[in-house]
mmCIF file of all heavy atoms in Angstrom:
data_model
loop_
_atom_site.group_PDB
_atom_site.id
_atom_site.type_symbol
_atom_site.label_atom_id
_atom_site.label_comp_id
_atom_site.label_asym_id
_atom_site.label_seq_id
_atom_site.Cartn_x
_atom_site.Cartn_y
_atom_site.Cartn_z
ATOM 1 N N PHE R 579 -22.856 -42.793 56.936
ATOM 2 C CA PHE R 579 -22.120 -41.980 55.945
ATOM 3 C C PHE R 579 -22.890 -41.925 54.645
ATOM 4 O O PHE R 579 -23.021 -40.864 54.017
ATOM 5 C CB PHE R 579 -20.731 -42.594 55.723
ATOM 6 C CG PHE R 579 -19.943 -41.898 54.635
ATOM 7 C CD1 PHE R 579 -19.241 -40.714 54.924
ATOM 8 C CD2 PHE R 579 -19.923 -42.377 53.340
ATOM 9 C CE1 PHE R 579 -18.543 -40.070 53.931
ATOM 10 C CE2 PHE R 579 -19.219 -41.743 52.333
ATOM 11 C CZ PHE R 579 -18.535 -40.587 52.624
ATOM 12 N N ASN R 580 -23.393 -43.073 54.184
ATOM 13 C CA ASN R 580 -24.153 -43.112 52.928
ATOM 14 C C ASN R 580 -25.398 -42.254 53.022
ATOM 15 O O ASN R 580 -25.781 -41.565 52.068
ATOM 16 C CB ASN R 580 -24.531 -44.559 52.582
ATOM 17 C CG ASN R 580 -23.345 -45.360 52.092
ATOM 18 O OD1 ASN R 580 -22.333 -44.797 51.700
ATOM 19 N ND2 ASN R 580 -23.467 -46.698 52.137
ATOM 20 N N PHE R 581 -26.076 -42.281 54.148
ATOM 21 C CA PHE R 581 -27.296 -41.477 54.312
ATOM 22 C C PHE R 581 -26.967 -39.982 54.205
ATOM 23 O O PHE R 581 -27.665 -39.212 53.530
ATOM 24 C CB PHE R 581 -27.919 -41.779 55.674
ATOM 25 C CG PHE R 581 -29.096 -40.899 55.980
ATOM 26 C CD1 PHE R 581 -30.326 -41.151 55.422
ATOM 27 C CD2 PHE R 581 -28.950 -39.792 56.804
ATOM 28 C CE1 PHE R 581 -31.422 -40.347 55.698
ATOM 29 C CE2 PHE R 581 -30.023 -38.972 57.071
ATOM 30 C CZ PHE R 581 -31.263 -39.238 56.528
ATOM 31 N N ILE R 582 -25.884 -39.578 54.861
ATOM 32 C CA ILE R 582 -25.489 -38.171 54.831
ATOM 33 C C ILE R 582 -25.109 -37.771 53.404
ATOM 34 O O ILE R 582 -25.459 -36.676 52.929
ATOM 35 C CB ILE R 582 -24.310 -37.921 55.799
ATOM 36 C CG1 ILE R 582 -24.757 -38.141 57.247
ATOM 37 C CG2 ILE R 582 -23.724 -36.502 55.610
ATOM 38 C CD1 ILE R 582 -23.639 -38.102 58.251
ATOM 39 N N TYR R 583 -24.409 -38.642 52.694
ATOM 40 C CA TYR R 583 -23.973 -38.357 51.304
ATOM 41 C C TYR R 583 -25.167 -38.183 50.384
ATOM 42 O O TYR R 583 -25.249 -37.206 49.615
ATOM 43 C CB TYR R 583 -23.083 -39.499 50.821
ATOM 44 C CG TYR R 583 -22.615 -39.333 49.397
ATOM 45 C CD1 TYR R 583 -21.499 -38.577 49.109
ATOM 46 C CD2 TYR R 583 -23.309 -39.950 48.348
ATOM 47 C CE1 TYR R 583 -21.068 -38.411 47.807
ATOM 48 C CE2 TYR R 583 -22.894 -39.789 47.038
ATOM 49 C CZ TYR R 583 -21.777 -39.023 46.779
ATOM 50 O OH TYR R 583 -21.357 -38.864 45.481
ATOM 51 N N VAL R 584 -26.122 -39.101 50.508
ATOM 52 C CA VAL R 584 -27.326 -39.046 49.660
ATOM 53 C C VAL R 584 -28.146 -37.787 50.003
ATOM 54 O O VAL R 584 -28.629 -37.091 49.098
ATOM 55 C CB VAL R 584 -28.177 -40.308 49.816
ATOM 56 C CG1 VAL R 584 -29.537 -40.151 49.116
ATOM 57 C CG2 VAL R 584 -27.444 -41.512 49.256
ATOM 58 N N ALA R 585 -28.298 -37.508 51.280
ATOM 59 C CA ALA R 585 -29.078 -36.341 51.694
ATOM 60 C C ALA R 585 -28.433 -35.037 51.159
ATOM 61 O O ALA R 585 -29.151 -34.145 50.688
ATOM 62 C CB ALA R 585 -29.161 -36.280 53.206
ATOM 63 N N ALA R 586 -27.117 -34.976 51.231
ATOM 64 C CA ALA R 586 -26.434 -33.783 50.735
ATOM 65 C C ALA R 586 -26.639 -33.619 49.234
ATOM 66 O O ALA R 586 -26.825 -32.524 48.724
ATOM 67 C CB ALA R 586 -24.928 -33.876 51.078
ATOM 68 N N ALA R 587 -26.552 -34.733 48.520
ATOM 69 C CA ALA R 587 -26.754 -34.691 47.066
ATOM 70 C C ALA R 587 -28.144 -34.221 46.711
ATOM 71 O O ALA R 587 -28.343 -33.434 45.766
ATOM 72 C CB ALA R 587 -26.482 -36.079 46.450
ATOM 73 N N VAL R 588 -29.156 -34.698 47.461
ATOM 74 C CA VAL R 588 -30.515 -34.289 47.236
ATOM 75 C C VAL R 588 -30.701 -32.788 47.472
ATOM 76 O O VAL R 588 -31.354 -32.080 46.715
ATOM 77 C CB VAL R 588 -31.490 -35.113 48.110
ATOM 78 C CG1 VAL R 588 -32.911 -34.518 48.043
ATOM 79 C CG2 VAL R 588 -31.513 -36.565 47.666
ATOM 80 N N VAL R 589 -30.129 -32.320 48.563
ATOM 81 C CA VAL R 589 -30.224 -30.881 48.894
ATOM 82 C C VAL R 589 -29.612 -30.018 47.794
ATOM 83 O O VAL R 589 -30.182 -29.006 47.368
ATOM 84 C CB VAL R 589 -29.540 -30.589 50.248
ATOM 85 C CG1 VAL R 589 -29.433 -29.078 50.475
ATOM 86 C CG2 VAL R 589 -30.347 -31.222 51.388
ATOM 87 N N ILE R 590 -28.446 -30.421 47.304
ATOM 88 C CA ILE R 590 -27.783 -29.646 46.241
ATOM 89 C C ILE R 590 -28.615 -29.645 44.979
ATOM 90 O O ILE R 590 -28.768 -28.606 44.318
ATOM 91 C CB ILE R 590 -26.381 -30.264 45.961
ATOM 92 C CG1 ILE R 590 -25.459 -30.038 47.142
ATOM 93 C CG2 ILE R 590 -25.772 -29.650 44.687
ATOM 94 C CD1 ILE R 590 -24.153 -30.757 47.056
ATOM 95 N N ALA R 591 -29.181 -30.800 44.632
ATOM 96 C CA ALA R 591 -30.015 -30.893 43.427
ATOM 97 C C ALA R 591 -31.253 -30.007 43.537
ATOM 98 O O ALA R 591 -31.620 -29.322 42.586
ATOM 99 C CB ALA R 591 -30.417 -32.341 43.171
ATOM 100 N N LEU R 592 -31.890 -30.051 44.713
ATOM 101 C CA LEU R 592 -33.093 -29.221 44.886
ATOM 102 C C LEU R 592 -32.747 -27.750 44.892
ATOM 103 O O LEU R 592 -33.513 -26.930 44.343
ATOM 104 C CB LEU R 592 -33.766 -29.595 46.243
ATOM 105 C CG LEU R 592 -34.412 -30.968 46.301
ATOM 106 C CD1 LEU R 592 -34.927 -31.264 47.718
ATOM 107 C CD2 LEU R 592 -35.600 -31.036 45.313
ATOM 108 N N PHE R 593 -31.607 -27.400 45.439
ATOM 109 C CA PHE R 593 -31.202 -25.970 45.428
ATOM 110 C C PHE R 593 -30.997 -25.484 44.007
ATOM 111 O O PHE R 593 -31.438 -24.388 43.628
ATOM 112 C CB PHE R 593 -29.912 -25.836 46.234
ATOM 113 C CG PHE R 593 -29.413 -24.404 46.308
ATOM 114 C CD1 PHE R 593 -29.917 -23.539 47.260
ATOM 115 C CD2 PHE R 593 -28.445 -23.955 45.393
ATOM 116 C CE1 PHE R 593 -29.471 -22.231 47.329
ATOM 117 C CE2 PHE R 593 -28.012 -22.644 45.461
ATOM 118 C CZ PHE R 593 -28.517 -21.777 46.416
ATOM 119 N N ALA R 594 -30.336 -26.293 43.194
ATOM 120 C CA ALA R 594 -30.106 -25.908 41.803
ATOM 121 C C ALA R 594 -31.399 -25.811 41.014
ATOM 122 O O ALA R 594 -31.537 -24.969 40.144
ATOM 123 C CB ALA R 594 -29.174 -26.927 41.144
ATOM 124 N N LEU R 595 -32.356 -26.669 41.367
ATOM 125 C CA LEU R 595 -33.614 -26.705 40.640
ATOM 126 C C LEU R 595 -34.531 -25.535 40.987
ATOM 127 O O LEU R 595 -35.159 -24.930 40.129
ATOM 128 C CB LEU R 595 -34.357 -28.030 40.929
ATOM 129 C CG LEU R 595 -35.705 -28.256 40.211
ATOM 130 C CD1 LEU R 595 -35.475 -28.261 38.691
ATOM 131 C CD2 LEU R 595 -36.329 -29.535 40.687
ATOM 132 N N PHE R 596 -34.619 -25.209 42.258
ATOM 133 C CA PHE R 596 -35.618 -24.242 42.719
ATOM 134 C C PHE R 596 -35.081 -22.848 43.023
ATOM 135 O O PHE R 596 -35.850 -21.923 43.245
ATOM 136 C CB PHE R 596 -36.325 -24.762 43.961
ATOM 137 C CG PHE R 596 -37.152 -25.982 43.708
ATOM 138 C CD1 PHE R 596 -36.744 -27.220 44.183
ATOM 139 C CD2 PHE R 596 -38.323 -25.914 42.948
ATOM 140 C CE1 PHE R 596 -37.517 -28.363 43.919
ATOM 141 C CE2 PHE R 596 -39.080 -27.026 42.690
ATOM 142 C CZ PHE R 596 -38.672 -28.276 43.168
ATOM 143 N N CYS R 597 -33.801 -22.660 43.025
ATOM 144 C CA CYS R 597 -33.245 -21.349 43.426
ATOM 145 C C CYS R 597 -32.841 -20.481 42.267
ATOM 146 O O CYS R 597 -32.114 -19.525 42.398
ATOM 147 C CB CYS R 597 -32.056 -21.549 44.360
ATOM 148 S SG CYS R 597 -32.550 -22.260 45.954
ATOM 149 N N GLY R 598 -33.351 -20.837 41.063
ATOM 150 C CA GLY R 598 -33.132 -19.963 39.915
ATOM 151 C C GLY R 598 -31.740 -19.987 39.340
ATOM 152 O O GLY R 598 -31.304 -19.073 38.660
ATOM 153 N N CYS R 599 -30.986 -21.063 39.634
ATOM 154 C CA CYS R 599 -29.656 -21.167 39.072
ATOM 155 C C CYS R 599 -29.748 -21.401 37.588
ATOM 156 O O CYS R 599 -30.456 -22.319 37.157
ATOM 157 C CB CYS R 599 -28.876 -22.326 39.727
ATOM 158 S SG CYS R 599 -28.674 -22.120 41.505
ATOM 159 N N LYS R 600 -29.080 -20.590 36.763
ATOM 160 C CA LYS R 600 -29.164 -20.692 35.310
ATOM 161 C C LYS R 600 -27.758 -20.714 34.712
ATOM 162 O O LYS R 600 -26.841 -20.081 35.212
ATOM 163 C CB LYS R 600 -29.962 -19.515 34.721
ATOM 164 C CG LYS R 600 -31.413 -19.463 35.161
ATOM 165 C CD LYS R 600 -32.122 -18.282 34.504
ATOM 166 C CE LYS R 600 -33.580 -18.205 34.947
ATOM 167 N NZ LYS R 600 -34.258 -17.047 34.324
ATOM 168 N N ASN R 601 -27.652 -21.458 33.637
ATOM 169 C CA ASN R 601 -26.428 -21.471 32.861
ATOM 170 C C ASN R 601 -26.515 -20.358 31.842
ATOM 171 O O ASN R 601 -27.380 -20.365 30.971
ATOM 172 C CB ASN R 601 -26.288 -22.840 32.157
ATOM 173 C CG ASN R 601 -24.964 -22.934 31.415
ATOM 174 O OD1 ASN R 601 -24.322 -21.940 31.116
ATOM 175 N ND2 ASN R 601 -24.559 -24.182 31.114
ATOM 176 N N PRO R 602 -25.626 -19.354 31.904
ATOM 177 C CA PRO R 602 -25.698 -18.225 30.977
ATOM 178 C C PRO R 602 -25.661 -18.656 29.509
ATOM 179 O O PRO R 602 -26.194 -17.980 28.649
ATOM 180 C CB PRO R 602 -24.438 -17.420 31.326
ATOM 181 C CG PRO R 602 -24.112 -17.808 32.724
ATOM 182 C CD PRO R 602 -24.526 -19.230 32.839
ATOM 183 N N ASP R 603 -25.013 -19.787 29.230
ATOM 184 C CA ASP R 603 -24.903 -20.251 27.832
ATOM 185 C C ASP R 603 -26.193 -20.788 27.298
ATOM 186 O O ASP R 603 -26.373 -20.882 26.088
ATOM 187 C CB ASP R 603 -23.810 -21.315 27.736
ATOM 188 C CG ASP R 603 -22.446 -20.768 28.073
ATOM 189 O OD1 ASP R 603 -22.218 -19.561 27.851
ATOM 190 O OD2 ASP R 603 -21.597 -21.544 28.542
ATOM 191 N N THR R 604 -27.140 -21.164 28.165
ATOM 192 C CA THR R 604 -28.396 -21.759 27.704
ATOM 193 C C THR R 604 -29.607 -20.865 28.001
ATOM 194 O O THR R 604 -30.709 -21.220 27.661
ATOM 195 C CB THR R 604 -28.617 -23.134 28.344
ATOM 196 O OG1 THR R 604 -28.677 -22.999 29.789
ATOM 197 C CG2 THR R 604 -27.470 -24.083 27.990
ATOM 198 N N GLU R 605 -29.391 -19.718 28.619
ATOM 199 C CA GLU R 605 -30.486 -18.841 28.966
ATOM 200 C C GLU R 605 -31.093 -18.227 27.695
ATOM 201 O O GLU R 605 -30.382 -17.752 26.811
ATOM 202 C CB GLU R 605 -30.012 -17.725 29.887
ATOM 203 C CG GLU R 605 -31.167 -16.883 30.433
ATOM 204 C CD GLU R 605 -30.670 -15.916 31.510
ATOM 205 O OE1 GLU R 605 -29.513 -16.013 31.890
ATOM 206 O OE2 GLU R 605 -31.481 -15.067 31.964
ATOM 207 N N ILE R 606 -32.430 -18.278 27.573
ATOM 208 C CA ILE R 606 -33.109 -17.775 26.396
ATOM 209 C C ILE R 606 -33.101 -16.250 26.380
ATOM 210 O O ILE R 606 -33.391 -15.613 27.392
ATOM 211 C CB ILE R 606 -34.561 -18.320 26.325
ATOM 212 C CG1 ILE R 606 -34.526 -19.841 26.209
ATOM 213 C CG2 ILE R 606 -35.314 -17.701 25.157
ATOM 214 C CD1 ILE R 606 -35.912 -20.468 26.253
ATOM 215 N N TYR R 607 -32.766 -15.673 25.243
ATOM 216 C CA TYR R 607 -32.721 -14.212 25.139
ATOM 217 C C TYR R 607 -34.120 -13.619 25.059
ATOM 218 O O TYR R 607 -35.088 -14.323 24.714
ATOM 219 C CB TYR R 607 -31.893 -13.791 23.910
ATOM 220 C CG TYR R 607 -32.602 -14.084 22.597
ATOM 221 C CD1 TYR R 607 -33.455 -13.173 22.012
ATOM 222 C CD2 TYR R 607 -32.370 -15.281 21.919
ATOM 223 C CE1 TYR R 607 -34.104 -13.460 20.822
ATOM 224 C CE2 TYR R 607 -33.011 -15.570 20.722
ATOM 225 C CZ TYR R 607 -33.868 -14.646 20.178
ATOM 226 O OH TYR R 607 -34.502 -14.915 18.978
ATOM 227 N N GLN R 608 -34.234 -12.342 25.306
ATOM 228 C CA GLN R 608 -35.480 -11.619 25.148
ATOM 229 C C GLN R 608 -35.389 -10.770 23.877
ATOM 230 O O GLN R 608 -34.453 -9.971 23.736
ATOM 231 C CB GLN R 608 -35.737 -10.704 26.379
ATOM 232 C CG GLN R 608 -35.992 -11.490 27.647
ATOM 233 C CD GLN R 608 -37.226 -12.379 27.575
ATOM 234 O OE1 GLN R 608 -38.261 -11.946 27.061
ATOM 235 N NE2 GLN R 608 -37.097 -13.588 28.031
ATOM 236 N N PRO R 609 -36.349 -10.918 22.942
ATOM 237 C CA PRO R 609 -36.279 -10.162 21.690
ATOM 238 C C PRO R 609 -36.317 -8.664 21.920
ATOM 239 O O PRO R 609 -36.917 -8.188 22.893
ATOM 240 C CB PRO R 609 -37.528 -10.636 20.939
ATOM 241 C CG PRO R 609 -37.892 -11.931 21.551
ATOM 242 C CD PRO R 609 -37.469 -11.839 22.984
ATOM 243 N N ASN R 610 -35.690 -7.928 21.030
ATOM 244 C CA ASN R 610 -35.639 -6.454 21.116
ATOM 245 C C ASN R 610 -37.047 -5.881 20.866
ATOM 246 O O ASN R 610 -37.659 -6.172 19.855
ATOM 247 C CB ASN R 610 -34.665 -5.890 20.096
ATOM 248 C CG ASN R 610 -34.668 -4.377 20.080
ATOM 249 O OD1 ASN R 610 -34.622 -3.737 21.120
ATOM 250 N ND2 ASN R 610 -34.751 -3.801 18.909
ATOM 251 N N THR R 611 -37.513 -5.059 21.774
ATOM 252 C CA THR R 611 -38.813 -4.419 21.616
ATOM 253 C C THR R 611 -38.686 -2.898 21.503
ATOM 254 O O THR R 611 -39.676 -2.181 21.545
ATOM 255 C CB THR R 611 -39.742 -4.771 22.794
ATOM 256 O OG1 THR R 611 -39.126 -4.334 24.022
ATOM 257 C CG2 THR R 611 -40.013 -6.256 22.891
ATOM 258 N N VAL R 612 -37.449 -2.431 21.370
ATOM 259 C CA VAL R 612 -37.199 -1.003 21.234
ATOM 260 C C VAL R 612 -36.964 -0.665 19.762
ATOM 261 O O VAL R 612 -36.100 -1.282 19.110
ATOM 262 C CB VAL R 612 -35.978 -0.571 22.072
ATOM 263 C CG1 VAL R 612 -35.711 0.918 21.868
ATOM 264 C CG2 VAL R 612 -36.194 -0.897 23.546
ATOM 265 N N PHE R 613 -37.719 0.297 19.248
ATOM 266 C CA PHE R 613 -37.579 0.649 17.843
ATOM 267 C C PHE R 613 -36.190 1.230 17.596
ATOM 268 O O PHE R 613 -35.731 2.116 18.332
ATOM 269 C CB PHE R 613 -38.618 1.715 17.487
ATOM 270 C CG PHE R 613 -38.625 2.101 16.025
ATOM 271 C CD1 PHE R 613 -39.254 1.297 15.076
ATOM 272 C CD2 PHE R 613 -37.991 3.242 15.592
ATOM 273 C CE1 PHE R 613 -39.232 1.631 13.743
ATOM 274 C CE2 PHE R 613 -37.970 3.587 14.269
ATOM 275 C CZ PHE R 613 -38.586 2.774 13.329
ATOM 276 N N PRO R 614 -35.465 0.714 16.577
ATOM 277 C CA PRO R 614 -34.108 1.210 16.322
ATOM 278 C C PRO R 614 -34.084 2.700 15.946
ATOM 279 O O PRO R 614 -34.721 3.121 15.000
ATOM 280 C CB PRO R 614 -33.669 0.358 15.106
ATOM 281 C CG PRO R 614 -34.556 -0.834 15.113
ATOM 282 C CD PRO R 614 -35.863 -0.348 15.664
ATOM 283 N N GLN R 615 -33.380 3.477 16.734
ATOM 284 C CA GLN R 615 -33.383 4.924 16.586
ATOM 285 C C GLN R 615 -32.926 5.381 15.197
ATOM 286 O O GLN R 615 -33.380 6.409 14.689
ATOM 287 C CB GLN R 615 -32.495 5.565 17.662
ATOM 288 C CG GLN R 615 -32.587 7.068 17.694
ATOM 289 C CD GLN R 615 -31.852 7.663 18.884
ATOM 290 O OE1 GLN R 615 -31.340 6.932 19.738
ATOM 291 N NE2 GLN R 615 -31.835 8.974 18.985
ATOM 292 N N ALA R 616 -32.061 4.608 14.576
ATOM 293 C CA ALA R 616 -31.531 4.990 13.263
ATOM 294 C C ALA R 616 -32.621 5.057 12.207
ATOM 295 O O ALA R 616 -32.428 5.686 11.157
ATOM 296 C CB ALA R 616 -30.445 4.000 12.825
ATOM 297 N N PHE R 617 -33.765 4.430 12.459
ATOM 298 C CA PHE R 617 -34.852 4.391 11.468
ATOM 299 C C PHE R 617 -35.958 5.413 11.763
ATOM 300 O O PHE R 617 -36.978 5.410 11.086
ATOM 301 C CB PHE R 617 -35.430 2.971 11.383
ATOM 302 C CG PHE R 617 -34.463 1.993 10.777
ATOM 303 C CD1 PHE R 617 -33.557 1.320 11.592
ATOM 304 C CD2 PHE R 617 -34.451 1.756 9.420
ATOM 305 C CE1 PHE R 617 -32.661 0.405 11.043
ATOM 306 C CE2 PHE R 617 -33.555 0.861 8.855
ATOM 307 C CZ PHE R 617 -32.662 0.192 9.676
ATOM 308 N N ASN R 618 -35.722 6.251 12.751
ATOM 309 C CA ASN R 618 -36.699 7.329 13.018
ATOM 310 C C ASN R 618 -36.666 8.325 11.880
ATOM 311 O O ASN R 618 -35.625 8.903 11.555
ATOM 312 C CB ASN R 618 -36.352 7.997 14.343
ATOM 313 C CG ASN R 618 -37.464 8.880 14.861
ATOM 314 O OD1 ASN R 618 -38.637 8.589 14.611
ATOM 315 N ND2 ASN R 618 -37.129 9.945 15.557
ATOM 316 N N GLY R 619 -37.794 8.509 11.194
ATOM 317 C CA GLY R 619 -37.857 9.405 10.048
ATOM 318 C C GLY R 619 -37.354 8.756 8.761
ATOM 319 O O GLY R 619 -37.048 9.453 7.752
ATOM 320 N N TYR R 620 -37.282 7.453 8.741
ATOM 321 C CA TYR R 620 -36.740 6.676 7.625
ATOM 322 C C TYR R 620 -37.499 6.932 6.315
ATOM 323 O O TYR R 620 -36.915 6.844 5.232
ATOM 324 C CB TYR R 620 -36.781 5.193 7.980
ATOM 325 C CG TYR R 620 -35.944 4.280 7.130
ATOM 326 C CD1 TYR R 620 -34.574 4.445 7.038
ATOM 327 C CD2 TYR R 620 -36.529 3.224 6.458
ATOM 328 C CE1 TYR R 620 -33.805 3.576 6.269
ATOM 329 C CE2 TYR R 620 -35.767 2.360 5.682
ATOM 330 C CZ TYR R 620 -34.403 2.533 5.618
ATOM 331 O OH TYR R 620 -33.652 1.674 4.856
ATOM 332 N N LEU R 621 -38.799 7.259 6.405
ATOM 333 C CA LEU R 621 -39.605 7.387 5.215
ATOM 334 C C LEU R 621 -39.679 8.834 4.676
ATOM 335 O O LEU R 621 -40.260 9.051 3.611
ATOM 336 C CB LEU R 621 -41.045 6.918 5.503
ATOM 337 C CG LEU R 621 -41.205 5.497 6.064
ATOM 338 C CD1 LEU R 621 -42.662 5.183 6.259
ATOM 339 C CD2 LEU R 621 -40.560 4.459 5.164
ATOM 340 N N LYS R 622 -39.106 9.752 5.396
ATOM 341 C CA LYS R 622 -39.240 11.154 4.999
ATOM 342 C C LYS R 622 -38.700 11.419 3.597
ATOM 343 O O LYS R 622 -37.575 11.016 3.265
ATOM 344 C CB LYS R 622 -38.517 12.069 6.010
ATOM 345 C CG LYS R 622 -39.379 12.392 7.230
ATOM 346 C CD LYS R 622 -38.728 13.467 8.072
ATOM 347 C CE LYS R 622 -39.686 13.924 9.175
ATOM 348 N NZ LYS R 622 -39.083 14.991 10.006
ATOM 349 N N ASP R 623 -39.517 12.070 2.784
ATOM 350 C CA ASP R 623 -39.140 12.456 1.417
ATOM 351 C C ASP R 623 -38.785 11.258 0.528
ATOM 352 O O ASP R 623 -37.993 11.393 -0.403
ATOM 353 C CB ASP R 623 -37.959 13.450 1.446
ATOM 354 C CG ASP R 623 -38.282 14.687 2.250
ATOM 355 O OD1 ASP R 623 -39.424 15.192 2.167
ATOM 356 O OD2 ASP R 623 -37.390 15.160 3.008
ATOM 357 N N ARG R 624 -39.361 10.105 0.849
ATOM 358 C CA ARG R 624 -39.094 8.925 0.042
ATOM 359 C C ARG R 624 -40.417 8.304 -0.402
ATOM 360 O O ARG R 624 -41.384 8.301 0.380
ATOM 361 C CB ARG R 624 -38.275 7.903 0.816
ATOM 362 C CG ARG R 624 -36.957 8.439 1.357
ATOM 363 C CD ARG R 624 -36.209 7.423 2.177
ATOM 364 N NE ARG R 624 -35.610 6.389 1.347
ATOM 365 C CZ ARG R 624 -34.936 5.352 1.827
ATOM 366 N NH1 ARG R 624 -34.759 5.238 3.150
ATOM 367 N NH2 ARG R 624 -34.419 4.461 1.045
ATOM 368 N N LYS R 625 -40.445 7.766 -1.589
ATOM 369 C CA LYS R 625 -41.638 7.081 -2.043
ATOM 370 C C LYS R 625 -41.714 5.726 -1.370
ATOM 371 O O LYS R 625 -40.698 5.037 -1.228
ATOM 372 C CB LYS R 625 -41.627 6.920 -3.566
ATOM 373 C CG LYS R 625 -42.920 6.340 -4.103
ATOM 374 C CD LYS R 625 -43.035 6.488 -5.618
ATOM 375 C CE LYS R 625 -44.386 5.977 -6.105
ATOM 376 N NZ LYS R 625 -44.543 6.169 -7.565
ATOM 377 N N VAL R 626 -42.917 5.321 -0.984
ATOM 378 C CA VAL R 626 -43.125 4.061 -0.287
ATOM 379 C C VAL R 626 -44.018 3.148 -1.114
ATOM 380 O O VAL R 626 -45.083 3.554 -1.575
ATOM 381 C CB VAL R 626 -43.732 4.282 1.102
ATOM 382 C CG1 VAL R 626 -43.936 2.936 1.834
ATOM 383 C CG2 VAL R 626 -42.868 5.220 1.948
#
Side-chain angles (χ1 to χ4, degrees):
F579 176 82
N580 287 341
F581 174 79
I582 294 173
Y583 178 84
V584 171
V588 170
V589 170
I590 293 171
L592 290 174
F593 181 84
L595 181 63
F596 294 109
C597 293
C599 300
K600 297 181 180 179
N601 184 341
D603 295 332
T604 60
E605 188 172 354
I606 297 176
Y607 71 88
Q608 294 298 316
N610 175 47
T611 59
V612 178
F613 184 80
Q615 187 171 357
F617 291 88
N618 194 30
Y620 195 59
L621 306 181
K622 276 190 173 181
D623 302 320
R624 304 177 74 182
K625 186 166 184 178
V626 180

